[in-house]
Amino acid sequence: MYDQPRTNRPQTVMTFDQMLERVRYEGAYPTRERAAESVDNVLAALGRQLTGDERVDLARCLPVEAALTLTAQIPDTEPLTGWGFVKDLATRTGATPATTRWDTGAVLAVITHLAGPDLITRILHRLPDGYALLFGRAELRRPQPTAA
């Protein structure tokens, strides 16, 4: 059996060390260890929310160490909104919501670069409302039917 070509090939191949340096730059972290902590926390939290083919495809785009962190998580049965994601992660890490939002943005900016726009669009369709801003995109809402 041959692998079928996928439309969501990674935009850039990046080692885990390069990923950490990129997150360190995006988050303006003073140390590489602080960037690694953010990567681990955010990817673990995302792994608890993301399911299906999008989870598998995202793992393929990431360096092995990051993919293992993402896929080691058992998805939650209750999906969280984007704000719920930030609050849950803040509670788990003991950080403030503002710091957690910053960390999430820094890590997801690099993830967006690695995954590419098509996969990120699919991921956003899979997740509840509120994640687009975390991935650096405008939050576009679907028109709601008006009551007659």
Side-chain angles (χ1 to χ4, degrees), residues 61-80:
C61 296
L62 300 175
V64 172
E65 300 88 340
L68 290 172
T69 301
L70 176 81
T71 58
Q73 307 305 309
I74 297 170
D76 288 340
T77 56
E78 296 283 330
L80 299 171

Side-chain angles (χ1 to χ4, degrees), residues 11-41:
Q11 297 298 305
T12 304
V13 176
M14 194 179 284
T15 67
F16 189 64
D17 289 337
Q18 290 169 328
M19 180 182 179
L20 291 180
E21 284 304 315
R22 184 82 183 257
V23 170
R24 182 178 177 190
Y25 175 79
E26 290 289 335
Y29 297 121
T31 65
R32 184 181 175 154
E33 290 76 23
R34 179 66 180 90
E37 179 184 347
S38 293
V39 168
D40 286 343
N41 290 335

Side-chain angles (χ1 to χ4, degrees), residues 46-144:
L46 187 59
R48 289 188 292 273
Q49 295 300 309
L50 193 57
T51 60
D53 290 340
E54 291 75 18
R55 177 183 171 111
V56 173
D57 290 345
L58 179 57
R60 285 185 188 145
C61 296
L62 300 175
V64 172
E65 300 88 340
L68 290 172
T69 301
L70 176 81
T71 58
Q73 307 305 309
I74 297 170
D76 288 340
T77 56
E78 296 283 330
L80 299 171
T81 64
W83 176 236
F85 176 87
V86 171
K87 289 192 309 186
D88 179 66
L89 185 54
T91 300
R92 288 173 186 264
T93 61
T96 66
T99 299
T100 303
R101 172 61 182 92
W102 180 270
D103 293 347
T104 301
V107 174
L108 294 182
V110 176
I111 299 302
T112 297
H113 177 74
L114 288 169
D118 293 341
L119 179 55
I120 295 302
T121 298
R122 288 178 36 221
I123 288 170
L124 291 174
H125 283 289
R126 165 101 34 205
L127 295 170
D129 286 342
Y131 283 86
L133 290 173
L134 298 177
F135 279 93
R137 289 193 177 179
E139 182 75 43
L140 302 176
R141 299 199 182 260
R142 295 181 189 103
Q144 299 296 320

